[in-house]
Amino acid sequence: MGRLLLVTIQIDLYDRLATNLETDLVQMVNKTEAKGVLIDISALSIVDSFMGRILGNIGSMSKIMDAETVVVGMQPAVAITLIELGLELKGVHTALNVEKGMELLKEKIGNYDEDLTEDDEDSTE
């Protein structure tokens, strides 16, 4: 969606799927030159330490590639579990829902729509 990647995780991910998600997502950031990644985990009822590390890795790798990461839709039980496990999601911002996550990404990366509009205007002149 524009310069943003939107990811919705619909099922609890086992280790191989989580690793594939990490790899595929970072490759897509590179391929699309995305400036923001929004990951919706509202369908997840459980996030274990491995999945927590994967989310943190995605945030760190995306940041290195000049993209911000926002995780949205975290269930209260998931937040409690992450804190109890002592997992910090470094490089990952959080928001309550997709709408607020999009607003946060726009704030973090600036108004990317203006950049795209300016590029379009330059190409028509």
Side-chain angles (χ1 to χ4, degrees):
M1 191 170 157
R3 305 278 314 261
L4 304 178
L5 293 177
L6 306 177
V7 179
T8 302
I9 301 174
Q10 297 292 320
I11 59 171
D12 289 328
L13 301 178
Y14 58 88
D15 292 356
R16 182 184 292 276
L17 275 178
T19 303
N20 289 346
L21 171 67
E22 176 185 65
T23 302
D24 293 345
L25 194 50
V26 172
Q27 288 176 350
M28 286 302 292
V29 168
N30 182 53
K31 181 179 178 181
T32 64
E33 298 180 4
K35 293 296 178 191
V37 177
L38 187 134
I39 304 172
D40 182 0
I41 63 168
S42 58
L44 297 183
S45 56
I46 297 172
V47 172
D48 62 8
S49 61
F50 183 76
M51 187 61 197
R53 281 195 313 274
I54 292 291
L55 290 172
N57 289 349
I58 290 169
S60 296
M61 290 180 214
S62 296
K63 186 72 170 173
I64 289 171
M65 299 178 75
D66 196 30
E68 296 288 339
T69 302
V70 174
V71 172
V72 300
M74 189 177 299
Q75 301 295 326
V78 170
I80 291 168
T81 300
L82 290 174
I83 296 303
E84 287 177 347
L85 292 172
L87 291 174
E88 293 181 40
L89 299 180
K90 293 184 179 180
V92 176
H93 307 283
T94 58
L96 193 57
N97 57 41
V98 173
E99 183 179 327
K100 291 182 185 217
M102 294 292 285
E103 289 173 14
L104 180 57
L105 272 177
K106 287 179 182 179
E107 178 184 307
K108 293 290 181 189
I109 64 175
N111 194 345
Y112 62 91
D113 290 331
E114 285 180 10
D115 294 338
L116 294 176
T117 304
E118 288 173 9
D119 289 344
D120 291 343
E121 288 173 4
D122 291 342
S123 64
T124 58
E125 293 177 2

